Amino acid sequence: METSKPHAVLIASPGMGHLIPMVELGKRLLTHHSFHVTIFVVTTDSQTTTSHILRQTSNLRSLNIVVVPPVDVSHQLPSNSPLELRILLTMLHSLPFIQYSINTNTNLPPPSALIVDIFGLAAFPMARELGMLIYVYFGTSAWFSALTLYFPDMDNKIIQAHAEKHQPLHIPGCHPVRFQDNVEAFLCPGGAIFEGFLKAAKDVVTADGILINTWEDLESAATKAVREDPILGRFTKGGVYPVGPLVRSVEEKPEDGRAEVLRWLDEQPAESVIYVSFGSGGTMSEVQMREVAIGLELSEQRFIWVVRPPCENDPSGTFFDVANAGDMALDFLGEGFVKRTQGVGVVVPMWAPQAEILGHPATGGFVTHCGWNSVLESLVNGVPMVVWPLYAEQKMNAFMLSEELGVAVRVAEEGGLVGREQVAEVVRRVMVDREGVDVRRKVKEVKVSGEKALSEFGSSHLSLAEMRRDCQLHVQTCEPKVPAAAA
Ligand code: UDP
């Protein structure tokens, strides 16, 4: 065991969208920055998708992955509780196991850095007790991070004017957030979600550093704002490090082990297929699913569509149990849809190999709910998007992609429903129309800038190297406390 290297402990909160960026960060710290890495994976059940993601890390033997035994918090919460509350409670109940594991681990040096996302802030006291540096990792945009970091200092009158008069919310150095794009917390100031977010934001700014899965060239104004003292930098105790784009790498598999959908893609012309998927949690109503089905047919484009059984009032209906409904989703696509579209489209129930699909040369567009991992995966593969945000900070992401970066076109919901004509229209705008050529050109430029950020002298690589130096200095100057049981 090399005791001079810093040991980072990462805690991944439940949900694929939280697990994936944490695992990718852990891999990067291990392979490019010479850390010892332990990742605690908090799950709500024994999701098959979780094990699938973790299997992909099995070639990295020195990555220490610990799956926390699932805890069931359902009996402690009303069934209609917000998603965030369920995640927070699950994290809280997982902490005793995590602390015990750290205290009894004798195979690695005492941990010197804790890295958590916004749902893992309850681990701060444990980390402080053990003398660890604390980092919060935003698996989202710098713009959303800026909103969070500025929140504790926002003037109440401005928040009220935003909620009541729908005035844009100004964040120093960043694009203002339009009311219709803001996260739920700001729609109802003083409500439980608002107060919960505010408390989290107050904790976040006390961390020793903030990591963000973005890069300087993608969000030059927002990354500058969160880093520089005269703008927002003074609100945080430690440094701010844009470290992205960290996305899942494509799995190399032998030909006979490749998914059927990828073999179908192999047969299609370059950039001819639109991929439609709403992340790990995204669900829609039955009526909306039918509109998408008919819209795809009307667009006359080749497609791959990841389908889930409908969920009438919850756009994040499969967030906790994405793998559990099998082929049932196919029953909701309307009479004869699968047969009529045979050869032109492929419907994949529940879960598709997204990183591989977006990296395939035949994929030419992506209809996405704008989860940040999906956004990054599209950008690093130079795939233009149709943005259809559903929940969390996805509307902010949609605004950035369509209005600021020009790498996407956005659907307009009317009365909560996106009609078949509009589905067909937005797909054609990206895949066929003149507008699509511009969008495609811009997204290819973004792809190149993302590659540059991660290269040896790129901004994100240097950012993590700087964070590594702080951790190394910490190991040398204030020896982390050896956990009681390991002493
Ligand atoms: N994903 C996948 N196959 C699917 C759906 C999602 O591999 O059928 C992956 C996707 O590649 C991404 C993650 O799950 O890495 C979803 O994260 P995102 O932030 O886009 O959305 P969330 O699920 O958190 O809303």
Side-chain angles (χ1 to χ4, degrees):
M1 162 173 50
E2 239 186 286
T3 51
S4 58
K5 290 200 300 192
H7 174 193
V9 166
L10 284 62
I11 308 180
S13 58
M16 288 302 121
H18 303 157
L19 171 67
I20 290 168
M22 206 50 104
V23 169
E24 292 309 320
L25 175 65
K27 281 157 75 177
R28 188 89 190 167
L29 291 173
L30 181 84
T31 56
H32 287 70
H33 298 277
S34 187
F35 270 86
H36 292 293
V37 176
T38 298
I39 307 178
F40 287 98
V41 178
V42 179
T43 56
T44 48
D45 55 28
S46 51
Q47 288 168 352
T48 47
T49 33
T50 305
S51 15
H52 176 74
I53 302 293
L54 298 181
R55 254 201 320 277
Q56 290 185 319
T57 61
S58 56
N59 57 339
L60 289 173
R61 292 245 169 78
S62 32
L63 193 63
N64 180 29
I65 296 214
V66 183
V67 178
V68 177
V71 289
D72 181 10
V73 296
S74 50
H75 57 284
Q76 296 180 36
L77 289 169
S79 58
N80 58 352
S81 311
L83 187 67
E84 292 84 356
L85 202 56
R86 198 165 152 200
I87 300 176
L88 279 172
L89 209 57
T90 309
M91 292 294 277
L92 202 60
H93 285 288
S94 302
L95 276 183
F97 174 87
I98 294 173
Q99 177 137 25
Y100 175 79
S101 299
I102 293 177
N103 285 346
T104 51
N105 178 16
T106 48
N107 298 329
L108 288 171
S112 38
L114 172 80
I115 304 181
V116 289
D117 63 20
I118 199 161
F119 295 105
L121 310 177
F124 278 20
M126 170 192 80
R128 293 214 170 96
E129 210 176 285
L130 293 174
M132 297 158 86
L133 287 176
I134 297 174
Y135 293 88
V136 175
Y137 180 34
F138 281 90
T140 53
S141 67
W143 190 29
F144 176 74
S145 314
L147 175 73
T148 311
L149 303 180
Y150 184 48
F151 191 8
D153 284 85
M154 265 178 210
D155 186 332
N156 256 333
K157 282 195 208 111
I158 293 178
I159 295 175
Q160 288 300 341
H162 180 64
E164 286 161 19
K165 297 185 189 138
H166 299 187
Q167 285 175 3
L169 190 62
H170 287 276
I171 310 172
C174 301
H175 209 287
V177 185
R178 300 186 309 187
F179 176 78
Q180 64 268 35
D181 292 328
N182 211 341
V183 290
E184 204 180 335
F186 286 96
L187 310 188
C188 181
I193 300 181
F194 178 90
E195 293 299 338
F197 187 23
L198 181 57
K199 182 177 177 316
K202 285 180 176 166
D203 285 344
V204 169
V205 294
T206 67
D208 298 295
I210 312 274
L211 311 174
I212 313 175
N213 197 3
T214 189
W215 68 101
E216 281 177 14
D217 276 354
L218 183 76
E219 296 188 80
S220 49
T223 51
K224 182 169 185 265
V226 289
R227 300 190 96 177
E228 293 196 357
D229 274 0
I231 316 176
L232 291 173
R234 69 202 143 105
F235 296 130
T236 51
K237 179 182 151 204
V240 179
Y241 308 96
V243 299
L246 301 179
V247 298
R248 266 169 71 209
S249 40
V250 167
E251 251 182 304
E252 291 301 335
K253 280 204 171 161
E255 188 50 37
D256 57 356
R258 286 177 84 227
E260 211 176 302
V261 64
L262 297 176
R263 282 190 260 137
W264 178 80
L265 267 180
D266 292 344
E267 308 295 314
Q268 311 309 315
E271 299 188 337
S272 68
V273 177
I274 182 111
Y275 170 59
V276 185
S277 172
F278 297 91
S280 59
T283 44
M284 34 183 64
S285 69
E286 189 172 349
V287 175
Q288 184 62 80
M289 281 176 79
R290 294 265 164 86
E291 293 302 304
V292 173
I294 301 171
L296 285 173
E297 271 190 280
L298 289 174
S299 77
E300 298 180 326
Q301 299 304 298
R302 294 178 175 82
F303 67 86
I304 296 170
W305 181 16
V306 184
V307 290
R308 312 255 158 80
C311 210
E312 291 310 317
N313 297 311
D314 185 359
S316 58
T318 56
F319 192 88
F320 288 110
D321 54 3
V322 68
N324 293 342
D327 287 355
M328 204 176 105
L330 300 180
D331 299 342
F332 299 92
L333 304 179
E335 190 77 27
F337 173 77
V338 174
K339 207 159 170 213
R340 279 198 309 279
T341 55
Q342 216 165 22
V344 179
V346 175
V347 175
V348 183
M350 301 311 287
W351 190 259
Q354 178 163 309
E356 286 77 2
I357 291 173
L358 288 171
H360 197 288
T363 303
F366 181 15
V367 179
T368 172
H369 74 314
C370 296
W372 192 245
N373 295 295
S374 294
V375 166
L376 293 182
E377 287 159 15
S378 210
L379 295 177
V380 302
N381 286 298
V383 175
M385 285 163 267
V386 169
V387 287
W388 185 335
L390 297 179
Y391 55 94
E393 86 303 351
Q394 294 160 7
K395 289 182 183 160
M396 290 176 69
N397 299 342
F399 176 88
M400 185 204 295
L401 296 166
S402 55
E403 311 284 320
E404 282 187 74
L405 298 172
V407 295
V409 298
R410 183 172 183 170
V411 297
E413 280 179 73
E414 283 164 28
L417 189 76
V418 179
R420 57 192 69 179
E421 289 81 12
Q422 204 201 145
V423 172
E425 185 210 312
V426 285
V427 167
R428 290 187 67 82
R429 274 170 66 192
V430 162
M431 299 296 285
V432 191
D433 294 353
R434 168 76 219 149
E435 184 183 1
V437 177
D438 278 351
V439 173
R440 199 168 297 275
R441 181 183 47 77
K442 285 189 190 145
V443 78
K444 303 266 188 235
E445 287 166 13
V446 171
K447 170 184 154 89
V448 173
S449 92
E451 285 162 0
K452 223 165 95 192
L454 287 179
S455 65
E456 198 182 349
F457 297 104
S459 58
S460 292
H461 182 86
L462 295 176
S463 230
L464 260 191
E466 197 183 322
M467 176 257 184
R468 165 71 161 79
R469 269 196 302 279
D470 288 350
C471 291
Q472 188 66 56
L473 202 66
H474 185 69
V475 173
Q476 284 158 357
T477 51
C478 40
E479 194 76 10
K481 291 165 198 152
V482 179

